[in-house]
């Protein structure tokens, strides 16, 4: 009779032990599972569908963002390129115009022409002729004495006392021109040309071809008083 | 003493073996664990109250786990599995809190 409760109590505590063992086991396994698969594996089907929907919507939004940003990037890149190209073009044009107008110094291959005039017989028309011949031969920048030849240059005076653009000039006259040296020399040497005329006037014209000459004199550009740029039609 | 030792041994076994939970069991295991925890706390409280009965403990343990799993199963079938799981966890949590408070009063007399 006393064995009955002892046996049943032992069996009961054994059962309780087994249950606690199972509980501990399940607890540990569940904790492991939860921390291992970040909850998605144990999530319900409707939760998974909702999560998937959220992610799809988010992906769509982000893709739209990407497309928009790429458009903006392309726009900015092409705009930047156009601006840079226009700036470069404008700079080149400004340089060309500055050399033509004589507002900057110029260097390059060219000739140096020295005209001596011992008899004082070389008139303004000789220098004008020289300027025209040089221009016709493609001279890009010309300097006589300390005067840069530009659009409004004028040679006046009488033989022996020449005046160019308002400043007096005395022999020997030194003319520097930038262009193709052989072409320029040929242009001055044509029969009846500058060299010919000078020697008939008792002077001497000496031409030197140089790989590099410097046209250092500058012109001051005056603001046009009457002329205005016509409206561009493009 | 034996239950505490068995519990620790179970935890050690679970961590050591690291088995994969079968897919059909995954929704029920967490609820079952919480239900079993509730039974254990109830058992400890009864023990301290001096009214512990092994038979009651075993029956309540098993029935708690089964009923909790059944509720979740029914909830899943009815399409309210998430909400019912939450409800079960809330109820069991409240019971665990109550039992823990009683245990505390016994142990610390406060």
């Amino acid at each position: 009779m006393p064995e009955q409760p002892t046996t049943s109590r032992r069996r009961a505590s054994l059962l309780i032990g087994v249950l606690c063992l199972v509980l501990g086991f399940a607890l540990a396994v569940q904790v492991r599972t939860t921390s291992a698969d970040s909850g998605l594996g144990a999530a319900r089907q409707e939760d998974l569908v909702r999560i998937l929907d959220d992610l799809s919507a988010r992906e769509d939004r982000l893709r739209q963002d990407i497309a928009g940003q790429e458009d903006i990037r392309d726009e900015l890149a092409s705009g930047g390129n156009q601006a840079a190209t226009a700036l470069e073009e404008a700079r080149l044009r400004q340089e060309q115009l500055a050399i033509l107008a004589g507002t900057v110094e110029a260097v390059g291959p060219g000739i140096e022409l020295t005209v001596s005039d011992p008899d004082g017989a070389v008139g303004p028309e000789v220098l004008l002729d020289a300027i025209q011949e040089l221009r016709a031969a493609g001279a890009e920048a010309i300097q006589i004495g300390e005067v840069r030849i530009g659009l409004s240059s004028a040679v006046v005076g009488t033989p022996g006392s020449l005046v160019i653009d308002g400043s007096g000039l005395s022999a020997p006259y030194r003319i520097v021109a930038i262009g193709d040296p052989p072409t320029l020399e040929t242009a001055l040497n044509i029969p009846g040309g500058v060299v010919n005329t000078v020697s008939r006037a008792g002077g001497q014209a000496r031409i030197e071809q140089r790989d590099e000459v410097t046209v250092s004199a500058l012109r001051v550009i005056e603001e046009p008083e009457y002329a205005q740029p016509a409206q561009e039609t493009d | 003493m034996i239950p505490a030792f068995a519990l620790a041994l179970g935890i050690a076994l679970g961590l050591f073996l690291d088995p994969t939970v079968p897919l059909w069991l995954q929704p029920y295991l967490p609820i079952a664990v919480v239900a079993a925890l509730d039974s254990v706390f109830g058992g400890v409280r009864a023990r301290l109250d001096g009214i512990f009965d092994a038979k009651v403990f075993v029956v309540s343990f098993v029935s708690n786990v089964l009923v909790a799993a059944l509720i979740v199963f029914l909830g899943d079938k009815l399409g309210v599995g998430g909400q019912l799981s939450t409800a079960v966890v809330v109820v069991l949590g409240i019971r665990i809190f109550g039992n823990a408070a009683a245990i505390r009063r016994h142990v610390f007399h406060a």
Side-chain angles (χ1 to χ4, degrees):
Chain A
M1 221 31 204
E3 276 184 30
Q4 186 71 15
T6 320
T7 315
S8 96
R9 193 183 295 166
R10 190 175 294 163
R11 196 188 297 157
S13 70
L14 194 71
L15 204 51
I16 293 172
V18 168
L19 286 180
C20 285
L21 185 85
V22 170
L23 170 60
F25 186 75
L27 193 67
V29 168
Q30 178 59 27
V31 169
R32 266 292 170 89
T33 309
T34 307
S35 58
D37 61 9
S38 72
L40 273 189
R44 273 159 222 293
Q45 199 175 347
E46 59 258 41
D47 289 346
L48 287 175
V49 169
R50 192 178 43 74
I51 293 173
L52 190 63
D53 277 352
D54 285 355
L55 285 177
S56 300
R58 189 149 170 251
E59 191 192 357
D60 284 350
R61 260 203 320 280
L62 289 176
R63 285 202 185 288
Q64 282 174 10
D65 278 3
I66 290 175
Q69 301 282 0
E70 276 178 349
D71 283 352
I72 293 175
R73 187 199 63 193
D74 292 349
E75 230 167 74
L76 287 177
S78 67
N81 279 344
Q82 282 171 8
T85 311
L87 189 65
E88 181 66 16
E89 227 165 76
R91 209 178 51 76
L92 274 177
R93 205 171 161 74
Q94 189 252 339
E95 276 175 9
Q96 293 166 354
L97 290 176
I99 287 177
L100 281 180
T103 54
V104 293
E105 292 189 11
V107 293
I111 59 152
E112 201 178 318
L113 167 69
T114 313
V115 176
S116 60
D117 184 21
D119 299 340
V122 174
E125 71 280 1
V126 179
L127 288 189
L128 270 179
D129 196 20
I131 292 170
Q132 285 179 13
E133 291 292 356
L134 287 172
R135 275 185 177 158
E140 290 163 1
I142 305 171
Q143 172 177 358
I144 298 182
E146 290 305 313
V147 178
R148 178 76 166 262
I149 303 302
L151 273 178
S152 55
S153 290
V155 187
V156 293
T158 52
S161 65
L162 296 180
V163 176
I164 180 163
D165 285 354
S167 60
L169 209 60
S170 58
Y173 310 114
R174 187 172 154 272
I175 302 177
V176 178
I178 294 179
D180 180 42
T183 309
L184 295 181
E185 177 159 6
T186 309
L188 295 175
N189 274 329
I190 55 167
V194 176
V195 174
N196 219 327
T197 316
V198 170
S199 56
R200 261 191 281 128
Q204 195 187 10
R206 204 174 68 246
I207 302 171
E208 284 177 50
Q209 294 188 23
R210 297 265 183 83
D211 284 339
E212 183 174 306
V213 293
T214 303
V215 173
S216 57
L218 301 182
R219 289 184 75 79
V220 177
I221 293 207
E222 282 165 16
E223 200 68 31
E225 194 176 344
Y226 302 106
Q228 279 182 350
Q231 212 67 37
E232 269 185 47
T233 51
D234 56 1
Chain B
M1 201 62 212
I2 294 177
F5 181 71
L7 191 66
L9 184 67
I11 292 176
L13 270 179
L15 291 178
F16 182 71
L17 292 177
D18 195 13
T20 317
V21 182
L23 203 61
W24 60 267
L25 192 60
Q26 275 188 1
Y28 309 114
L29 189 59
I31 301 296
V33 166
V34 175
L37 273 179
D38 171 53
S39 295
V40 168
F41 273 90
V44 172
R45 181 192 180 179
R47 180 68 171 275
L48 292 172
D49 283 342
I51 55 166
F52 181 77
D53 183 20
K55 198 174 127 194
V56 172
F57 175 76
V58 171
V59 170
S60 81
F61 188 105
V62 174
S63 71
N64 249 6
V65 168
L66 288 182
V67 169
L70 184 69
I71 289 177
V72 175
F73 172 77
L74 266 182
D76 270 347
K77 290 295 163 210
L78 295 174
V80 288
Q83 292 90 320
L84 263 187
S85 298
T86 310
V88 170
V89 168
V90 167
V91 169
L92 292 177
I94 291 173
R95 285 174 48 126
I96 290 175
F97 253 100
N99 286 332
I103 294 167
R104 188 200 65 219
R105 260 179 250 120
H106 270 291
V107 173
F108 300 109
H109 303 290

